[in-house]
Amino acid sequence: MIDIDVTYEQVCKWDKSEYVWIDVRDKETAMYGGIPNSIWISVKDIEDGNADLPKVKKLVLYCMRGVVSRDWAEKLRDEGLEAYSLQGGYYKYLSKVMIEDAKNDKEKAEQIELSIRKKFYKVLFSRFAKAINEYELVKEHDHIAVCISGGKDSMLMAKLFQELKKHNKFEFELTFLVMDPGYSPENRRVIEQNAQLMNIPITIFESDIFDAVDTIEKSPCYLCARMRRGHLYKKAKELGCNKIALGHHYDDVIETILMGMLYGAQVQTMMPKLHSTNFEGMELIRPLYLIREDDIKQWHDYNDLHFLQCACHFTDTCSSCRDDGTSNSKRLEIKKLIAELKKVNPYVEGNIFKSVENVNLSTVIAYKEDGVRHHFLDEYDKDR
């Protein structure tokens, strides 16, 4: 019987016309990057028999670790197809690619920095600087913990801060902080190698968050996010920082506004900065507040970078874990909704963003301020 597990090196020796890569990770994860020339296919379609599979001899499936893909490869084998599963999954592929990148790390690091100064200056650095100035995110003598999760957003934020440091008009300090909440060795290696490749001097500290929430059945991602935020605040304060910077961008903001309305029955937004309620003197800032996700992806693709979307060990793809505790599945629904609305109104994204800047309290039934609820009837008859 033909072995169902194959290595990346084995596949590369095959005739390219005889096989195709099939990405069976969730859609949100696949959007962050995959093996070149691969085709994403929904596992639900495979399960229902509705998958539009390519007409080639060999189908090579891959997930994050080579576990889920093996199950689906076996199912396709049972249906008479010559299906394989990539041994070690996308993580294994990433390790190989990053070893190759390391051979030319100096040249690539210069390319990455040059792309920020030249090709993507207007859409990335200019908007980064605008958010910092408009919302007063960085002030003289600040010591900022730039929190790096290992994904494209936080890694770009680190590079933008390095660029800002070269042009700063006043003195401030940066610490590039990475928390290891219980990553697998492969995940941690990817983060370390990317930091080395991009000349980001990271400070890593460890926590047991993954173990602490491992047995939680209800909303483990929400609890994980809350715990991670607390650990970051605590470590940053120990290191003498007064601010932590997170990598939420413009699209996160408008999605949060719609999610609050449609799923939370409230009007709220993701603020560009917040004072910590539990760590005195600490503040959270979001310097990517005005940067579009598509522009981050274009920078990512242009430099052929390879990041992890999520390094959680609970599931093979972990499509639900975010550092703000919200569900990626819900966010994907909102993304699709905004995309549909944009077909009718090309200004819909900007209108959503501006809606929370143009709140007219005289036309609002009720609102909360500092935890106190105010109703329009409270003042309605006083001026008559």
Side-chain angles (χ1 to χ4, degrees), residues 235-275:
K235 186 63 178 181
K237 192 166 186 177
E238 287 177 4
L239 295 173
C241 301
N242 65 308
K243 293 180 178 178
I244 65 171
L246 301 184
H248 299 119
H249 48 66
Y250 185 96
D251 295 73
D252 288 325
V253 177
I254 61 176
E255 289 159 16
T256 296
I257 294 170
L258 275 190
M259 286 182 72
M261 294 173 63
L262 301 181
Y263 299 116
Q266 57 187 335
V267 177
Q268 63 175 10
T269 189
M270 181 180 280
M271 298 296 288
K273 63 180 182 180
L274 291 167
H275 287 294

Side-chain angles (χ1 to χ4, degrees), residues 164-318:
L164 182 70
K165 187 71 174 169
K166 296 174 184 176
H167 304 282
N168 66 297
K169 298 177 182 178
F170 49 79
E171 191 60 35
F172 65 91
E173 292 183 62
L174 299 172
T175 294
F176 299 99
L177 192 60
V178 176
M179 180 180 65
D180 181 348
Y183 292 146
S184 67
E186 296 89 348
N187 290 338
R188 179 155 170 167
R189 194 178 306 118
V190 167
I191 294 172
E192 291 172 335
Q193 288 176 329
N194 268 325
Q196 182 178 348
L197 172 68
M198 299 173 70
N199 287 332
I200 301 172
I202 56 175
T203 297
I204 302 179
F205 73 101
E206 298 176 354
S207 71
D208 60 353
I209 291 177
F210 282 175
D211 288 338
V213 301
D214 204 5
T215 58
I216 304 297
E217 294 183 5
K218 187 176 181 180
S219 302
C221 293
Y222 176 77
L223 178 60
C224 180
R226 290 291 300 273
M227 291 180 68
R228 278 186 287 157
R229 186 79 57 87
H231 278 70
L232 287 169
Y233 268 127
K234 182 180 179 182
K235 186 63 178 181
K237 192 166 186 177
E238 287 177 4
L239 295 173
C241 301
N242 65 308
K243 293 180 178 178
I244 65 171
L246 301 184
H248 299 119
H249 48 66
Y250 185 96
D251 295 73
D252 288 325
V253 177
I254 61 176
E255 289 159 16
T256 296
I257 294 170
L258 275 190
M259 286 182 72
M261 294 173 63
L262 301 181
Y263 299 116
Q266 57 187 335
V267 177
Q268 63 175 10
T269 189
M270 181 180 280
M271 298 296 288
K273 63 180 182 180
L274 291 167
H275 287 294
S276 172
T277 55
N278 298 317
F279 295 85
E280 187 177 353
M282 295 295 293
E283 194 174 356
L284 180 155
I285 62 173
R286 296 184 169 105
L288 303 188
Y289 204 77
L290 301 179
I291 295 179
R292 299 306 308 265
E293 185 175 26
D294 282 345
D295 293 323
I296 299 175
K297 288 178 180 177
Q298 287 180 29
W299 168 80
H300 161 280
D301 294 342
Y302 177 81
N303 290 292
D304 192 26
L305 296 169
H306 308 276
F307 300 124
L308 294 178
Q309 180 206 0
C310 176
C312 176
H313 69 185
F314 301 124
T315 65
D316 193 62
T317 56
C318 189

